[in-house]
Amino acid sequence: MDPFDAGAGSILRQPKAVWATAGASVVAFMGIGLVDPILPSIAKGLDASAGQVSLLFTSYFLITALAMLVTGFVSSRIGGRKTLLLGLAFVVVFAGLAGTSDTVGQLVGYRAGWGLGNALFVSTALAVIVGAAAGGSAAAILLYESALGLGMACGPLLGALLGDASWRYPFFGTAFLMAIGFLCISVFLKEQPKPARKTSLLDPIRALGHGGLASAAVSAFFYNYTFFTVLAFTPFVLNMTPYKSGAVFFAWGVLLAVFSVLVAPRMQKRFGSLKVLGGSLVLLAADVLVLGYGNHTAAVVCTILSGAFIGVNNTVYTELALGVSDAPRPVASAGYNFVRWFAAAAAPYFAPKIEEWTDVHIPFVVAAVTAVLGAVVVVVRRRALTLPHSRLRSSGGTPMAEELEPVHATEDSVAVFAD
């Protein structure tokens, strides 16, 4: 079945609650790349160095990683709807406060609060979409990946359009859009049944005892270091106006969305998920090396092209994290995200430091090495990442994701999620 078909299982025929959650998810993912085009402007406006401004990503993702241990604990007690609204409220408040910052320290602190809200929202949104979507897991995950891709594409564009007038406006704009998302979810999303068992704070850590999930998390850790070196460090290397930088990262985000939603599922079906993932990681490593050592034109082209590899990787990693473990999906996802988001916090901090200690090329060499290490983990641990049977639930969408039967991913069956 094609999830884009106009029939009952299509991602295009969904309840209003699903569209409200997906729409808010787009804005949530916009917040990740929103600051990309305006990083140099923020540094100039607050008289800060590139390393200091990069802490906007570090504080955001460090709190996001730690919050992964809390999200399941909270949502299993107050329910998915209230958790979404709580996360959105945090984002509205702290994104608005970020726009009022007078020092880089204040801005970094407000981004940390923003990260907590985003963690509560994003980690719960997938479970809510899976629970409320028509057409089962395939349509739900594809819709979520579409929201991710659209958000990552539009974030830099919004940052450039608003940031050209002032670096403060993108933060106010995000707060406004998230407030609209808050209202939409309040109106359209009804509270869904709570899971039968409450999630403890240590459940995500225990889930990492599964060899397959731990392997996926470690590989994704290395990959995320590469991903966020591109996202957080490249704007300083390109050294372009907000409009031009926004256009580059918009094109990057478009490729990310297209390859995540349209290309990756077909590649998985033809070649198998692990081969696709390993190959994409190696190609990403080659791309960032050229980005680091090429001229300005080559850097622009390779920045945009990296979106294709990142889109493929995001889809495969998400599906592996949801499918390779016997743990409930939200618990497995929380454990996986707890590990990988630490790399997203580390890369924006270490890339400028490495440049200070060496030169502008070496951060990209390190990023290439980490991408290759991610591929090595996939190859070495392929048995743990490949299970013999699939128990995909393809019908319905009414239970909460926590109540859905765990999915075991084989190298080929993972693609069933999205095709």
Side-chain angles (χ1 to χ4, degrees):
M1 180 183 69
D2 185 353
F4 283 100
D5 186 89
S10 169
I11 68 169
L12 303 178
R13 297 175 63 88
Q14 298 295 337
K16 290 180 181 178
V18 172
W19 287 117
T21 307
S25 297
V26 171
V27 181
F29 288 120
M30 285 171 61
I32 295 176
L34 180 83
V35 299
D36 252 36
I38 57 172
L39 285 175
S41 299
I42 294 173
K44 182 178 180 181
L46 296 178
D47 193 24
S49 67
Q52 288 174 316
V53 172
S54 294
L55 291 176
L56 293 176
F57 286 100
T58 297
S59 64
Y60 182 90
F61 286 113
L62 181 61
I63 296 301
T64 297
L66 294 173
M68 287 299 158
L69 300 180
V70 179
T71 54
F73 178 88
V74 173
S75 64
S76 65
R77 284 162 174 77
I78 69 174
R81 179 177 181 273
K82 291 178 181 176
T83 304
L84 289 179
L85 293 175
L86 179 63
L88 287 170
F90 270 103
V91 174
V92 170
V93 170
F94 284 103
L97 288 173
T100 68
S101 300
D102 294 320
T103 67
V104 70
Q106 288 179 353
L107 186 54
V108 169
Y110 293 143
R111 278 282 285 184
W114 185 345
L116 174 60
N118 223 45
L120 288 168
F121 176 83
V122 170
S123 64
T124 309
L126 178 56
V128 169
I129 289 174
V130 169
S137 298
I141 291 177
L142 196 57
L143 184 61
Y144 183 79
E145 290 293 338
S146 300
L148 187 155
L150 184 60
M152 294 295 281
C154 293
L157 190 62
L158 179 66
L161 292 174
L162 297 179
D164 187 61
S166 170
W167 64 263
R168 300 178 186 275
Y169 290 169
F171 298 108
F172 295 139
T174 300
F176 176 75
L177 291 174
M178 277 306 214
I180 294 176
F182 184 97
L183 293 175
C184 289
I185 289 177
S186 299
V187 173
F188 295 117
L189 181 63
K190 296 180 180 179
E191 187 58 83
Q192 296 174 314
K194 297 178 184 177
R197 186 179 71 86
K198 291 183 173 65
T199 301
S200 78
L201 293 175
L202 294 180
D203 279 351
I205 301 296
R206 296 191 185 101
L208 290 169
H210 185 279
L213 183 62
S215 300
V218 171
S219 178
F221 174 89
F222 289 123
Y223 156 65
N224 263 24
Y225 186 94
T226 308
F227 177 0
F228 285 93
T229 296
V230 173
L231 191 63
F233 184 64
T234 302
F236 292 104
V237 176
L238 297 179
N239 193 26
M240 303 167 78
T241 64
Y243 273 129
K244 290 182 179 179
S245 183
V248 168
F249 278 96
F250 173 71
W252 168 86
V254 169
L255 276 187
L256 188 154
V258 169
F259 275 76
S260 176
V261 176
L262 300 178
V263 178
R266 287 158 176 77
M267 292 178 65
Q268 289 173 273
K269 187 174 182 179
R270 181 169 181 178
F271 301 108
S273 294
L274 299 186
K275 290 180 181 178
V276 169
L277 182 59
S280 181
L281 287 167
V282 171
L283 290 174
L284 178 60
D287 181 81
V288 296
L289 275 180
V290 178
L291 195 165
Y293 281 92
N295 59 23
H296 190 267
T297 300
V300 169
V301 171
C302 287
T303 299
I304 295 172
L305 184 60
S306 69
F309 307 123
I310 289 170
V312 170
N313 295 337
N314 284 353
T315 293
V316 181
Y317 275 122
T318 297
E319 293 167 356
L320 281 177
L322 287 175
V324 78
S325 170
D326 286 328
R329 291 177 187 174
V331 173
S333 178
Y336 160 80
N337 282 304
F338 172 71
V339 174
R340 76 181 183 111
W341 286 127
F342 276 111
Y349 174 78
F350 283 110
K353 292 292 184 184
I354 292 171
E355 181 196 16
E356 291 176 11
W357 299 332
T358 55
D359 59 52
V360 73
H361 307 298
I362 303 304
F364 295 101
V365 174
V366 174
V369 170
T370 55
V372 171
L373 287 175
V376 169
V377 173
V378 170
V379 173
V380 173
R381 297 290 296 167
R382 61 187 179 278
R383 290 185 180 275
L385 292 168
T386 307
L387 297 179
H389 300 292
S390 173
R391 290 188 289 149
L392 294 172
R393 177 173 292 192
S394 59
S395 62
T398 52
M400 278 292 288
E402 292 90 336
E403 299 171 344
L404 294 176
E405 187 175 357
V407 179
H408 295 271
T410 68
E411 187 167 325
D412 294 314
S413 68
V414 173
V416 177
F417 273 106
D419 198 17

